[in-house]
Amino acid sequence: MLVLLVLLFCVLPCKVYAEDAAKGQMPIIAFFGIPGWHTTEEHFRTFSECGFNVSLSPYPSLDILIKACRYADKYGVKILGRCPEMTSNPTLAARKLLQEKGFFGYYLQDEPSVPEMHERQREIEKLKLIDSTHTFYINLFPCYNPDWIPPSTKAINYPAYLKTLSATDCQQLSFDFYPITTKGIRPTWYHNLEMVRQESLACGKPFWGFVLSVPHNVPLEEGNYYPTPTLASLRLQVYSNLAYGAQAIQYFTYWTSTSGKYQYHDAPVDTEGHKTKTYNIVQQMNRELKRISSLFYGARVLSVHHLGGTLPEGTTRQTQMPQNLRSLKVVSKKGAILSEFMKDGHYYFAIVNKDHENSMTVRLRYRNTTPRQITKLLKENVPKTSYSVEPGDILLFILK
């Protein structure tokens, strides 16, 4: 394997991409973040230092939700929350939350059925009479098998399930999918991303992706577990979502939940909010994400294809060269995701290593001197003809 060269700079003067604060930052969401019964200033400081900017949690009362919003605002983060008053007295809840700088939006339901989404839409309509400025959020089941969807959804198929959400006043499509288990990567992950991306394009709403950051047993699969995250496993999930066009990254979870059924352990903080061994890994991932997301946030993904390895079901293989590239080859058993996207009039190209355990070699030839490689520090380098991409990592170019 070649030595990783992504952070080595050439002698060419480097161009630095500055983040445009006026355009906002990509939401980096903790699902679940700080619980209501642990709403303290110290916990919000620790949360912010981990690199999150949105904490999603249910709260036992509107007063505690407002208290959380004020701590959040002090540390530059926001709250995506719910409380009983959102249902029992939506006018009061919306009027008060409308004034809170630390409030991000209304968390309505996780993994609902089709009839439940219709019920949540009626709740949204009541809240919107007072507050139409904040986010309304529902998160969907994943599609672990395109030929089967949980009967509890009461949907005829997964595309129909997605369309039910896109028809609501929620501003985004959110779905959770945890691809990495001790028995390997779930083969339908990319198919699920393809379906969500297609509905996102059809309805004109962005989608939000998930990353798993809490080890636990896999439901209904004896002997299979979601392993302790590594930097490589987090990178694979984050960068795959970004390559498909995700406009927010959600971590399940920040706080370690208590559940005898799922045996959660070693999320970034434990059940009392103390840092675990996962905290530093997630913090490092979020530092990378905050920098690199400025390229993807607000971008328009033109195409997503796969190259090398076995072609996942529901995806398409790269057959044409991106602009200003003469040839491209990946040396990897699992292959790569290739994403072409536009932002601010520039044409970008991303290559994601689909293997979270082994490095990948990328060999390129260029048609002219226009392409430049972009490092994770958002600097331009003269491109090389060969790169070694670390497990789960991303390689970026500006091609025009």
Side-chain angles (χ1 to χ4, degrees), residues 226-239:
Y226 292 118
T228 301
T230 64
L231 183 58
S233 70
L234 294 179
R235 280 173 170 166
L236 176 60
Q237 294 170 85
V238 166
Y239 294 141

Side-chain angles (χ1 to χ4, degrees), residues 88-125:
S88 64
N89 195 340
T91 299
L92 173 68
R95 184 178 293 125
K96 288 195 171 185
L97 291 170
L98 180 62
Q99 307 303 318
E100 294 299 323
K101 293 180 181 178
F103 185 59
F104 185 82
Y106 300 88
Y107 162 40
L108 293 155
Q109 190 171 347
D110 182 38
E111 298 182 338
S113 66
V114 168
E116 286 172 331
M117 276 192 271
H118 294 317
E119 293 174 13
R120 300 294 81 76
Q121 172 60 18
R122 290 190 285 272
E123 292 176 7
I124 292 172
E125 290 168 359

